[in-house]
Amino acid sequence: MKKVGNNHQTALRGIYAVISELEKYGAKNLSCLQKGSQRKIEFLSPNGNIYSATVRTKTAGTWQTSIKYGEVRTENVHERDYWVFVDIGEILPKFYPVPFWWISNDIHEAHEKYLERHGGHRKFNENSDHHAVQLNRVKKWENNWVQLGLNSGL
């Protein structure tokens, strides 16, 4: 699929794709909330819990985010806050729902490794807070909707 439109349009296409996928697996009472540039989808899962999903969308390359989300965290088995990485550059979208505790820790660890490789500094712009998330980091979460209490095998 060819890249169409600007970043805002890409983000909206990702949100619509995630909403459709959530509904397919049994989510109810979906609402989309926006705080600044961050958009979250809140929904009621068939297991009775309310979850939120922050959507990160790409059409090619890597997903873009900020090191501001990076923080040392431990596993939270009761996590209700997720990020869904969605790739809409394929014929059919691909989804990677990731617990927030995990991605926050992963961003922190990946950024620390990046700094180590560059003598403790950013390679080009010391003031940048940009962070890229590569597919290999989230691949293991592909279509793992069960962790959000959603029905599988539909």
Side-chain angles (χ1 to χ4, degrees):
M1 184 181 270
K2 196 174 181 183
K3 185 174 180 178
V4 178
N6 61 29
N7 291 342
H8 178 72
Q9 290 170 327
T10 298
L12 288 177
R13 287 176 53 213
I15 288 169
Y16 295 139
V18 171
I19 288 171
S20 177
E21 199 75 354
L22 289 170
E23 288 176 332
K24 177 173 124 180
Y25 290 109
K28 303 286 184 211
N29 302 337
L30 287 93
S31 61
C32 192
L33 311 168
Q34 184 163 351
K35 184 177 182 181
S37 63
Q38 189 177 45
R39 294 176 188 88
K40 277 189 178 192
I41 301 167
E42 286 191 351
F43 62 94
L44 176 64
S45 183
N47 70 8
N49 291 320
I50 295 173
Y51 292 85
S52 69
T54 298
V55 178
R56 291 285 191 254
T57 308
K58 75 178 184 96
T59 57
T62 57
W63 288 278
Q64 307 305 306
T65 190
S66 169
I67 58 172
K68 293 177 186 175
Y69 295 108
E71 185 177 324
V72 175
R73 293 189 181 249
T74 57
E75 182 175 7
N76 177 359
V77 295
H78 301 292
E79 185 71 78
R80 300 287 184 263
D81 195 9
Y82 284 77
W83 278 19
V84 179
F85 292 91
V86 57
D87 182 349
I88 59 173
E90 304 288 329
I91 292 172
L92 294 174
K94 291 188 176 183
F95 303 93
Y96 307 89
V98 176
F100 180 70
W101 72 263
W102 186 89
I103 193 61
S104 182
N105 194 65
D106 182 74
I107 290 168
H108 172 77
E109 288 178 356
H111 186 64
E112 289 297 310
K113 287 177 186 173
Y114 168 84
L115 292 175
E116 284 175 21
R117 289 191 307 270
H118 296 94
H121 301 279
R122 282 197 168 267
K123 187 174 181 180
F124 298 110
N125 180 354
E126 197 66 35
N127 296 318
S128 174
D129 68 358
H130 172 264
H131 185 80
V133 177
Q134 299 81 10
L135 174 60
N136 67 325
R137 289 170 47 197
V138 298
K139 180 75 173 154
K140 71 179 185 177
W141 300 98
E142 186 171 1
N143 293 322
N144 189 345
W145 298 106
V146 174
Q147 63 184 324
L148 285 88
L150 297 168
N151 300 322
S152 64
L154 297 178

